[in-house]
């Protein structure tokens, strides 16, 4: 294989639909090796059903990620994730984002409810300022534990494709 691509797919049945499409076959047919990173519990089932030369299935290591999030400034990481999701630029369709904010409001416990008005002001600022959005991303990058260094070292991918760049475990 001449090139390699990491594809991060962690959405349950969507992974199986994706693997049934022609995307992976087309890439492999062009001598591009596909390394699929997926939910730990799906690896064996995906290998059994879709395994073939040119397709390598790797674990997302969600247990390590969840432990890291739970033990390394979890409240700050939660708010950074909220801001990253809620602070999309104006000019994009924000209906789903606004629904997410309403969902957070409706389920927030007392401490979060006290902080939400301040965070909503920050969201408004983020929506208007690319500089503020980029600053948030830089700050959030402090919480990157490098769980995948070994995979990058072993495979040296030419491209990384993530289903939701930066929003969940794929950041």
């Amino acid at each position: 294989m001449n090139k390699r691509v990491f594809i991060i797919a962690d959405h349950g049945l969507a992974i199986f639909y994706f693997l049934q499409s022609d995307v992976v076959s087309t890439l492999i047919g062009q001598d591009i090796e596909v390394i699929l990173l997926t939910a730990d519990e799906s690896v064996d089932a995906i290998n059994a059903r879709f395994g073939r030369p040119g397709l390598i299935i790797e674990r997302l290591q969600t247990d390590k990620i969840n432990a890291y999030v739970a033990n390394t400034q979890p409240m700050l990481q939660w708010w950074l994730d909220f801001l990253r999701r809620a602070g999309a630029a104006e000019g994009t369709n924000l209906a789903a984002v606004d629904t997410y904010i309403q969902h957070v409001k409706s389920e927030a416990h007392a401490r979060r409810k006290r902080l939400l008005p301040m965070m909503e002001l920050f969201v408004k600022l983020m929506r208007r300022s690319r500089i503020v959005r980029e600053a948030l991303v830089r700050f959030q990058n402090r919480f990157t534990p490098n769980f995948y260094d070994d995979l990058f070292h072993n495979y040296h991918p030419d491209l990384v494709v993530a289903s939701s760049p930066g929003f969940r475990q794929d950041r």
Side-chain angles (χ1 to χ4, degrees):
M1 299 283 174
N2 294 329
K3 296 192 178 221
R4 289 185 170 138
V5 60
F6 277 4
I7 298 177
I8 301 157
D10 64 343
H11 287 74
L13 284 177
I15 299 164
F16 290 92
Y17 293 132
F18 167 72
L19 289 168
Q20 289 173 351
S21 75
D22 292 333
V23 174
V24 173
S25 297
T26 301
L27 290 169
I28 293 171
Q30 296 295 314
D31 286 333
I32 299 172
E33 189 171 47
V34 176
I35 296 92
L36 180 75
L37 283 78
T38 193
D40 299 1
E41 63 275 1
S42 300
V43 170
D44 293 335
I46 291 171
N47 263 327
R49 183 157 180 198
F50 299 102
R52 62 179 160 178
L55 175 63
I56 299 169
I57 313 298
E58 294 283 358
R59 299 179 193 289
L60 273 173
Q61 304 175 40
T62 51
D63 56 339
K64 289 182 186 177
I65 294 165
N66 292 335
Y68 177 81
V69 170
N71 296 307
T72 307
Q73 295 181 291
M75 190 164 89
L76 178 58
Q77 286 199 68
W78 191 92
W79 282 112
L80 290 171
D81 181 67
F82 169 81
L83 291 171
R84 185 91 180 266
R85 289 180 183 209
E90 286 184 339
T92 59
N93 184 346
L94 296 173
V97 175
D98 290 338
T99 300
Y100 166 70
I101 294 170
Q102 292 306 314
H103 177 77
V104 168
K105 279 181 173 180
S106 69
E107 292 192 358
H109 54 71
R111 190 176 356 166
R112 280 195 185 140
K113 283 187 181 187
R114 286 193 301 272
L115 289 173
L116 267 167
M118 180 179 67
M119 294 303 176
E120 286 181 300
L121 288 172
F122 197 75
V123 164
K124 288 179 183 179
L125 179 63
M126 287 180 62
R127 288 185 177 184
R128 290 175 176 81
S129 173
R130 181 182 60 129
I131 293 169
V132 174
R133 290 189 303 274
E134 289 172 351
L136 176 74
V137 171
R138 282 192 305 276
F139 189 79
Q140 192 177 31
N141 281 338
R142 295 177 183 193
F143 296 99
T144 305
N146 302 321
F147 290 128
Y148 304 108
D149 283 355
D150 59 332
L151 295 177
F152 278 92
H153 178 73
N154 290 339
Y155 295 114
H156 302 284
D158 298 287
L159 178 67
V160 176
V161 179
S163 56
S164 58
F167 288 119
R168 289 189 307 277
Q169 286 86 3
D170 56 17
R171 70 173 181 237

